[in-house]
Amino acid sequence: MSNRKILEVKNLTTEFRTDEGLVRAVNGISFDINRGETIGIVGESGSGKSVTSLSIMRLIPDPPGKITTGSITYFGKGGEPVDLLSISEKKMRSFRGNEISMIFQEPMTSLNPVFTCGSQVMEAIMLHQKLNKEQATKITLEMFEKVQLPTPDRILKAYPHQLSGGQKQRVMIAMAMSCNPGILIADEPTTALDVTVQDTILDLMNHLRSELDSSIIFITHDLGVIAEIADKVLVMYKGSIVEQGNVLDIFQNPQHPYTKGLLACRPPLGKRLSKLPTVGDFMKEENGKIIELQSSVKDMIESVLVSQEETDKRRELLLQKTPVLEVRNLKTYFTSKKNFFGKPLDYVKAVDDVTFDVYPGETLGLVGESGCGKTTLGRTILQLVPAMEGEVIFEGRNILDLRPDELTDLRKHMQIIFQDPYSSLNPRMTIGGAIMEPMTVHGIYANEKERKDKVVELLEKVNLSGVHYNRYPHEFSGGQRQRICIARALSLNPKFIICDESVSALDVSVQAQVLNLLINLREEFGFTYIFISHDLSVVKFMSDRMIVMNEGKIEELGPSDEIYNNPKQAYTQKLIKAIPKGEIADIKREMERRNAMKKGPEINA
């Protein structure tokens, strides 16, 4: 790696004017990045990491935001320094996309739905490199090949809605890299992706960095992902950098309690824990000062370790009971092609002859890539999606044979927590009203006062309080909204709950809190869960047994630890291999591999 500096950020402060006063989103931070280096910026939502990236790109909207102090110096390909904060907006536009590019978290909102993917990449090339359409088309096809998109000719003419999430993200990477930028800023580019797609994207970015000698600023809330890609790490908390250093040093010997909390709250793969540590186990704030509560990540994890004997004993006791749910030869097909008269000619087999049991008090994990059928299976069990054939037997009754009024009555006992809490809450209804509504519909409790008392009790149960009763969904964070959805699911005292990707959009620290809450509620009320996720590490932590799904079928079913330690199917092995490990030995191996990649071109030269 060249030691020549490519970016120098000094004493950067970015503020926003709000109704509550001035908010300092970035608070006097300083860091450097060298050519060919990847620096990871990690922290929870609100830590200032995305505002830092937008400040570098000078994309802070004014009003309400403003960069109030500091300098951002970019050293171009010739080494000449340019202060990005002092140049004109017209000059800055020549840097954006050309010298410094950015990949945003959600590719669907970053790509224009009315233009083809090819035309959007070609536009950037023609603008910055002053090339004609034919030349831009050639470069675009080459970039699509570099980012390993299948059939580049087809994708050149395809619209964003015709591509998968992973393919759209690769188009964004192709666009960002098309002008060979000196710096690529990647803002949470893999958060919404499956672990296998995420793994491919991380490999791709490492490869492009090596090939084009670019530098990367990689922003995420997940230290496991940082371990896979970064050379150096900046840990941000409330707008400040609380710790920075070599990735191996940060993982081996974290100094700040916030860093320790972030490291500890990721579900470990090689261990079984009774609960996940959280940031709150390591620190608290009093009068603006951080007080450390726990100094050792290792000691904290060891205090919540569960032995294999305890795990096996719990599972054996569960499997001795009569199943609460029996799924037999379930099929859910969607019509993909019809003839002129509307007769179906072909189907997508979303759920294809699936059979399994769920036992009272058990958490059955359901894992697989996007499109494998896991969400459709969950919704078919609850009859939110109609089945083509098969049986779903809940407490001895086949749900598929029930009349509509019988099914409505049964819904008291079977609930679902959806992935996106914001879209599953009515924005015009207070959260108290949203939690009370199912009680009113089903006639639970004698009057409104009793129902309101129950709502307050449920809010306290999910670590909120009665003062939140009259607030609206937009007044809460993502993690709080998910707790509200959990409280709503609990309002009918259900026996069985399906959690459909219910933590995948949350920060790892908030995710740990929600997972702990679900486990505590299971122990207190004896709930039975089907826990759906594309993240195998989360499923392994939560579940007693696990189903691995692929293309509508069950690949593997068995104890979670057994499937992780001894996967029998190649598909399961691929899922496990793609999980960001974050263990010290894994980081050392990854750094050695990356160093070898960097040395390769120099040896050939």
Side-chain angles (χ1 to χ4, degrees):
M1 184 199 304
S2 166
N3 285 324
R4 283 183 299 128
K5 202 181 289 182
I6 193 168
L7 189 77
E8 182 181 72
V9 176
K10 278 190 175 179
N11 197 33
L12 177 67
T13 300
T14 304
E15 297 176 336
F16 289 86
R17 292 180 290 283
T18 70
D19 292 339
E20 285 77 36
L22 210 59
V23 173
R24 188 165 286 184
V26 174
N27 187 16
I29 68 168
S30 300
F31 66 92
D32 301 335
I33 181 168
N34 296 323
R35 198 172 292 280
E37 182 177 56
T38 296
I39 191 164
I41 304 180
V42 71
E44 298 170 283
S45 295
S47 63
K49 54 192 190 300
S50 290
V51 177
T52 299
S53 68
L54 293 171
S55 299
I56 292 169
M57 295 288 285
R58 256 180 61 182
L59 291 173
I60 300 294
D62 184 8
K66 192 174 184 182
I67 298 170
T68 54
T69 66
S71 64
I72 301 171
T73 307
Y74 175 75
F75 299 88
K77 285 160 188 172
E80 64 285 355
V82 178
D83 183 359
L84 299 179
L85 298 184
S86 64
I87 59 177
S88 67
E89 175 58 28
K90 183 181 178 182
K91 177 78 171 169
M92 187 65 207
R93 279 199 296 268
S94 70
F95 277 85
R96 286 193 207 110
N98 187 25
E99 298 277 356
I100 306 173
S101 277
M102 190 161 181
I103 306 166
F104 294 95
Q105 179 173 352
E106 180 43 72
M108 196 64 217
T109 55
S110 307
L111 290 168
N112 192 322
V114 301
F115 293 105
T116 64
C117 296
S119 66
Q120 294 183 64
V121 179
M122 286 157 57
E123 181 186 23
I125 294 168
M126 288 189 285
L127 175 68
H128 290 296
Q129 298 190 36
K130 312 297 183 199
L131 299 176
N132 61 37
K133 190 174 180 180
E134 187 181 338
Q135 292 167 317
T137 303
K138 183 172 180 288
I139 292 172
T140 300
L141 287 169
E142 286 172 1
M143 287 307 302
F144 282 176
E145 283 177 12
K146 274 185 180 171
V147 299
Q148 299 164 29
L149 278 165
T151 57
D153 288 322
R154 177 185 67 83
I155 287 174
L156 189 79
K157 299 168 187 170
Y159 290 88
H161 73 271
Q162 295 174 300
L163 307 184
S164 70
Q167 288 173 337
K168 285 195 282 276
Q169 198 59 283
R170 290 182 207 203
V171 169
M172 287 297 299
I173 292 172
M175 187 189 298
M177 303 300 288
S178 61
C179 297
N180 296 339
I183 298 174
L184 174 65
I185 300 173
D187 187 5
E188 302 264 16
T190 62
T191 297
L193 303 178
D194 295 333
V195 283
T196 47
V197 180
Q198 172 179 274
D199 189 49
T200 305
I201 296 291
L202 294 178
D203 273 349
L204 171 63
M205 291 178 72
N206 270 328
H207 176 73
L208 290 173
R209 173 187 70 168
S210 176
E211 184 180 333
L212 303 173
D213 196 29
S214 294
S215 303
I216 298 175
I217 298 174
F218 195 97
I219 297 166
T220 182
H221 61 257
D222 190 345
L223 273 161
V225 173
I226 288 290
E228 297 276 310
I229 195 167
D231 302 300
K232 288 195 311 195
V233 187
L234 309 179
V235 182
M236 289 193 72
Y237 177 70
K238 291 190 175 179
S240 299
I241 294 173
V242 294
E243 190 164 358
Q244 62 177 301
N246 174 283
V247 67
L248 191 57
D249 293 339
I250 296 288
F251 273 75
Q252 275 186 318
N253 190 26
Q255 298 298 306
H256 197 276
Y258 182 67
T259 313
K260 293 173 185 176
L262 287 181
L263 282 167
C265 67
R266 293 176 59 252
L269 287 160
K271 304 177 180 77
R272 170 72 67 171
L273 306 184
S274 59
K275 67 163 216 167
L276 285 173
T278 65
V279 170
D281 291 320
F282 288 85
M283 59 175 268
K284 68 175 181 177
E285 278 191 80
E286 283 184 5
N287 303 319
K289 282 190 172 183
I290 291 173
I291 298 167
E292 186 167 37
L293 303 175
Q294 168 70 248
S295 60
S296 169
V297 174
K298 185 182 176 186
D299 289 348
M300 182 68 219
I301 289 174
E302 284 183 355
S303 71
V304 290
L305 270 179
V306 176
S307 69
Q308 191 61 52
E309 289 76 21
E310 288 176 273
T311 303
D312 293 342
K313 186 178 179 182
R314 171 183 155 79
R315 190 171 56 250
E316 283 168 19
L317 289 171
L318 289 171
L319 299 183
Q320 287 170 9
K321 301 176 185 177
T322 302
V324 68
L325 183 79
E326 301 168 69
V327 176
R328 297 285 176 267
N329 308 109
L330 192 63
K331 295 181 181 179
T332 307
Y333 295 177
F334 298 110
T335 304
S336 62
K337 192 177 180 183
K338 295 180 181 179
N339 66 12
F340 180 77
F341 300 102
K343 182 181 177 182
L345 296 176
D346 202 4
Y347 297 93
V348 173
K349 297 180 179 181
V351 178
D352 192 11
D353 200 23
V354 166
T355 296
F356 62 90
D357 295 330
V358 189
Y359 295 86
E362 179 184 30
T363 300
L364 180 70
L366 192 52
V367 71
E369 296 172 288
S370 294
C372 73
K374 56 189 187 296
T375 290
T376 303
L377 173 58
R379 295 185 181 201
T380 304
I381 288 168
L382 296 178
Q383 281 299 279
L384 300 175
V385 172
M388 182 170 267
E389 61 180 79
E391 293 180 309
V392 179
I393 301 165
F394 180 74
E395 294 190 326
R397 302 168 74 193
N398 186 0
I399 294 172
L400 308 190
D401 293 339
L402 297 181
R403 300 190 311 269
D405 60 317
E406 292 176 316
L407 188 59
T408 300
D409 187 58
L410 189 70
R411 292 208 189 282
K412 282 189 291 188
H413 307 298
M414 305 177 79
Q415 288 290 301
I416 185 166
I417 303 166
F418 293 102
Q419 176 174 359
D420 182 0
Y422 197 70
S423 62
S424 57
L425 289 168
N426 187 333
R428 292 180 293 179
M429 186 180 280
T430 65
I431 62 116
I435 297 169
M436 188 190 289
E437 186 181 35
M439 300 181 197
T440 307
V441 169
H442 288 278
I444 295 176
Y445 302 108
N447 52 50
E448 191 155 319
K449 182 186 181 303
E450 282 189 20
R451 291 181 193 124
K452 185 171 182 179
D453 290 344
K454 184 62 180 177
V455 171
V456 172
E457 183 188 320
L458 287 169
L459 286 170
E460 289 171 353
K461 193 69 73 180
V462 297
N463 300 325
L464 293 168
S465 74
V467 300
H468 297 115
Y469 185 94
N470 290 314
R471 294 186 189 174
Y472 289 86
H474 73 272
E475 298 179 80
F476 296 89
S477 68
Q480 287 173 324
R481 284 198 289 264
Q482 198 58 282
R483 290 164 193 264
I484 292 160
C485 289
I486 292 170
R488 185 176 60 179
L490 300 181
S491 65
L492 297 174
N493 298 319
K495 299 174 183 176
F496 173 78
I497 300 174
I498 293 178
C499 305
D500 186 8
E501 299 272 14
S502 52
V503 297
S504 62
L506 305 178
D507 290 337
V508 282
S509 52
V510 179
Q511 173 183 279
Q513 293 167 20
V514 173
L515 293 176
N516 288 340
L517 172 63
L518 289 170
I519 286 175
N520 291 340
L521 293 170
R522 181 187 69 187
E523 300 309 312
E524 185 176 348
F525 296 104
F527 292 138
T528 304
Y529 293 131
I530 288 182
F531 192 90
I532 300 170
S533 179
H534 62 257
D535 188 337
L536 199 142
S537 59
V538 169
V539 170
K540 179 182 174 291
F541 166 72
M542 280 294 295
S543 60
D544 302 291
R545 293 184 303 143
M546 183 193 300
I547 290 174
V548 181
M549 276 191 81
N550 182 26
E551 296 183 350
K553 292 182 178 290
I554 292 177
E555 288 271 344
E556 282 192 63
L557 192 165
S560 301
D561 297 315
E562 194 175 299
I563 285 180
Y564 174 72
N565 293 322
N566 187 27
K568 293 179 174 60
Q569 302 299 320
Y571 178 77
T572 313
Q573 291 165 8
K574 183 181 80 166
L575 280 182
I576 291 168
K577 186 175 180 290
I579 302 168
K581 305 298 190 292
E583 301 293 334
I584 300 302
D586 297 312
I587 298 168
K588 284 180 177 175
R589 277 194 297 272
E590 176 60 26
M591 293 188 80
E592 285 168 7
R593 186 182 73 82
R594 269 188 260 146
N595 287 334
M597 281 176 67
K598 289 170 192 168
K599 288 173 186 173
E602 294 171 14
I603 293 165
N604 294 336

